[in-house]
Structures are given as structure tokens and as C-alpha cells.
Amino acid sequence: MATIGEADGEEALGLVRLSPDGTRLLRMDGQVCVSGLDGSGERCVDGQRVLTDGRFASWSPDGTRLAFTDNVWGYHEADVWVFDVRTGALTNLTDDGVDRIDPENPPQGLSYDAFASWSPDGESIRFARAGDGSAFMALLSIPADGGQPQMLRAIPCRFTALRALVWSADRVAWNCADDAMVWLGEHADTTRDRPVLAIGSTEDRRMLSFSPDGRWLLADSMYATTFALWNGTPQVIPVDGGRARPAADGRIGFPTWVPGADHTLAYVQHPGTLRIVDGPRGEPRTLYTADEAEGPDGVRLSWGTGKLLVHAGKKRILLTIED
């Protein structure tokens, strides 16, 4: 891959992420909003109806919708929502009639939904659900246009302890603070669940992602990816067995799988060299160099079709990428 152009060098305004097709920006500093790359046509999620953390919003594969859940720590009862970025339509897919909760006196039988993510075909949304005091969370799938949730499996983790949940075509991985482990399993067969990485005291391992070919699991830390708060080392884990290993040599941050490539990884070599490697621990190539660089959403680099967004100092740099 080669860089063939450097687009804007506009001022970097808050935390943003590209849509998969590279035509829109998700802004997540405060209110969750979506606009064109130039800021035009902005539509925002109604914060009176749903309070969400935009860092956990999931783009649909075609870049036309977002899926997310309420932020339960803001006293909102957590449901799965879909936001159509073209029309501004906001739909609650798992509405149970409860909107807000009193943490001192929550209603009985309340369920909490979390970690909404799209299926590869964009037809359904997968998420985790827990009831009051349950030691397990159910993993479910619901049609993206509405319908009844379908039970997939359960994982042994309390709602307040689940830190991350990600899917590949045939596997699921999660981070549970109850046992301080990253776990790997299959969509339906719970007998093959196994711990693959211990969570250290200086790392949270909240940033999990599968490579596009599903062969590798990347485990990084949300609160250790900025160099000022450097604590951990991003790890890659072979899903078919084998030990975790550093994602690359040296001091790196903001590692991100390249969409459409089997297991190509991009990252920032401290303090500002953007590199790409064809396979974990392969030979890296340099894409871009700045005095300092970071992921535009604070945790990862941001890819769209033919585009890569990075923050360099106080500037937003949109790179055009050619195979």
C-alpha cells in the first residue's frame, strides 16, 4: 500500500472516526453527531432520548447507520438503538418501557443491553444482555430493522464487569474484570471457551478486535494507548492456538487492522511515525511521519475506503491510500 495524497490539514476538533465508506465523520466528544468530511449535513443523536458513549458506537458495514446502547452510568436504562445518519431517524430495538433508572432503587426484573455491533452483512446486530445481579450475560442477535432477539449463547461475566465484546465470522472474544482475563470462544459451543490473555494491573485490555480474516485477535488498552499514559504493550493472539505476542517491536500505539486485508496492521511508532505491516511481527513499512501522531478517536487509527484519518499534533490529516 502507498500514500498517494494528503488531503486536509484542518484543525483537529475533538474525537472523530471515519465511516467505513470514508464519506462521513462520527464526532463523539459530548453529543454524538455525524457529518460529511467538511462538516456539512450534520445530524446528531437526540441526547434527551438516549445518552451514549460514541466511542462504543458501531458503524454499519455500508456506513449509513450507527448502533449503540445507552450509557447506564448516566442513569439511562440500557437498550440497543439504531441511528440512520441519512435521515436522523432514531430507533430503539429493545425497548422494554423503562428509560431512566434510579441507581438507589432500580425496578425489579430490569435488563441491561451492552456492546452492540453489526453482523458482517449488516442485517442484524449482536449484543450482550444481563438481568439484575446475574453472574452471566446472554449474547443475542436482533434484526437491524426490528424484531425479536435470538439467543446465541451466554458468557460467565457480570454486566458491571464486562469490559469488551467483539465478534468474528465464527468466534467471539470478551474481557471480564471478574477474573481479569481476555477470553476466546465460539458463537454457540461454550465447551471450547479458553482464556488467552491475563489483564495486568496497568492495562485494561478494553480494545479488542479480530483481524479481517479472523485468524488473529488484537488486545490493546483504552487508557494506555496515549503515550503520555503509556502502560501496556498491544498484543496479538492467534485464535487457533498459541501464545500472545507483541503486535510490533518498540513503543507503539493506536494499532488498527486494515479493512479488507487479511491481517495487515497499522500503528503509530512513537512519537509520530505511521507504519503498516503485512501480518503480525512482519516487516513494517512507513506511510507517514509527523512530530507526533495519534488515533483521531483517541484509541485507534480510523480507516474508510481508500482513506486513513490520523491526528498529527493539532491537525487532522486525511491520507488517501492506494493498493
Side-chain angles (χ1 to χ4, degrees):
M1 304 179 73
T3 302
I4 62 170
E6 179 181 318
D8 60 54
E10 297 181 4
E11 183 179 359
L13 299 175
L15 303 177
V16 296
R17 186 184 302 152
L18 278 175
S19 61
D21 61 2
T23 64
R24 296 181 175 93
L25 280 178
L26 165 64
R27 180 165 56 83
M28 58 195 80
D29 50 337
Q31 190 173 13
V32 175
C33 299
V34 176
S35 71
L37 298 182
D38 61 358
S40 63
E42 184 177 76
R43 296 185 185 275
C44 298
V45 174
D46 184 352
Q48 296 300 311
R49 294 185 62 193
V50 56
L51 179 66
T52 187
D53 187 336
R55 292 174 300 175
F56 297 104
S58 174
W59 279 109
S60 63
D62 64 0
T64 63
R65 292 184 286 180
L66 289 170
F68 46 79
T69 60
D70 303 78
N71 183 353
V72 70
W73 308 117
Y75 306 151
H76 284 232
E77 192 271 336
D79 295 327
V80 176
W81 296 77
V82 170
F83 179 61
D84 190 318
V85 303
R86 301 162 298 182
T87 66
L90 183 61
T91 305
N92 188 337
L93 295 184
T94 60
D95 189 6
D96 55 6
V98 179
D99 295 325
R100 294 178 181 267
I101 58 174
D102 178 357
E104 300 297 329
N105 186 30
Q108 295 297 312
L110 198 63
S111 63
Y112 302 90
D113 300 333
F115 294 103
S117 67
W118 293 85
S119 61
D121 61 8
E123 294 295 319
S124 61
I125 295 170
R126 299 165 296 198
F127 64 99
R129 170 175 288 174
D132 292 333
S134 175
F136 287 81
M137 295 200 71
L139 304 188
L140 303 101
S141 175
I142 191 170
D145 293 326
Q148 291 299 312
Q150 175 188 357
M151 177 73 173
L152 301 175
R153 58 162 294 168
I155 57 173
C157 190
R158 295 175 300 112
F159 175 80
T160 55
L162 188 63
R163 299 291 185 259
L165 176 70
V166 295
W167 305 77
S168 71
D170 55 0
R171 290 181 172 88
V172 61
W174 65 94
N175 170 334
C176 185
D178 283 338
D179 52 22
M181 283 286 181
V182 173
W183 287 80
L184 182 66
E186 298 182 0
H187 283 195
D189 184 2
T190 62
T191 65
R192 302 186 67 179
D193 293 353
R194 60 186 176 94
V196 293
L197 184 66
I199 302 168
S201 60
T202 59
E203 305 163 73
D204 59 50
R205 300 301 183 194
R206 291 173 181 259
M207 303 304 296
L208 302 180
S209 59
F210 284 102
S211 60
D213 63 4
R215 292 177 55 191
W216 296 87
L217 176 67
L218 171 65
D220 194 16
S221 294
M222 178 176 289
Y223 298 112
T225 49
T226 54
F227 298 123
L229 300 175
W230 191 267
N231 285 314
T233 302
Q235 300 280 309
V236 287
I237 304 154
V239 301
D240 291 327
R243 297 175 62 86
R245 65 190 74 173
D249 293 328
R251 195 180 185 191
I252 74 164
F254 313 101
T256 311
W257 300 111
V258 179
D262 287 342
H263 41 260
T264 300
L265 192 67
Y267 58 91
V268 176
Q269 192 90 44
H270 183 67
T273 301
L274 181 61
R275 288 185 169 162
I276 194 167
V277 59
D278 294 325
R281 307 307 307 276
E283 187 64 31
R285 291 172 286 153
T286 298
L287 283 181
Y288 180 81
T289 300
D291 290 338
E292 57 183 33
E294 61 183 18
D297 64 357
V299 289
R300 288 179 177 159
L301 302 173
S302 188
W303 288 89
T305 302
K307 296 181 177 69
L308 173 59
L309 182 65
V310 62
H311 283 180
K314 296 182 179 180
K315 297 294 184 180
R316 183 184 78 179
I317 304 298
L318 185 65
L319 303 174
T320 304
I321 306 296
E322 182 182 68
D323 289 334

